[in-house]
Amino acid sequence: LLEGSLPLWLALKGYAYVIIGVAAIALERWFHPVGASFMQLAESGASEALDRQISSELKPVYASVLCIYAGTVLAGIAGLLKPVL
C-alpha cells in the first residue's frame, strides 16, 4: 500500500470487508446468550428481571451490528470514490 502497488480504494474496501467479517463472528458469539434468554421468555413468559437480562445481553449485539453497517458504508464509499482514489 505504501509503495503504491495497491490502489487506496481497493485497500479501503478490503479493510471494510475485514471489519464486516470480524463483526459478524463477534455477532455470532454475542447473540448466543440472547437466544437462550428468548427461549426462557417463550417458556416462562415476560418478567422485569428477564427483560433487564435480555436488554443487557443485547448491548454488545447492537455494537456488532453497527460495526457491520459501518463496514458496509466504508466499502460502498470506497467503491464510489474509486475514480478519485
Side-chain angles (χ1 to χ4, degrees):
L1 182 61
L2 294 176
E3 296 172 3
S5 61
L6 184 67
L8 181 59
W9 70 269
L10 188 58
L12 288 175
K13 196 171 274 274
Y15 290 139
Y17 288 134
V18 168
I19 290 170
I20 292 168
V22 169
I25 291 169
L27 178 65
E28 287 287 328
R29 180 181 176 275
W30 288 331
F31 197 74
H32 182 71
V34 178
S37 295
F38 278 129
M39 288 294 290
Q40 184 180 356
L41 177 65
E43 291 171 356
S44 64
S47 69
E48 284 293 320
L50 186 57
D51 288 346
R52 275 187 259 113
Q53 178 182 347
I54 291 173
S55 179
S56 68
E57 290 172 347
L58 280 174
K59 287 180 183 169
V61 171
Y62 292 141
S64 182
V65 170
L66 290 177
C67 285
I68 291 172
Y69 289 161
T72 304
V73 168
L74 179 61
I77 289 173
L80 288 174
L81 295 178
K82 179 180 174 182
V84 179
L85 300 175

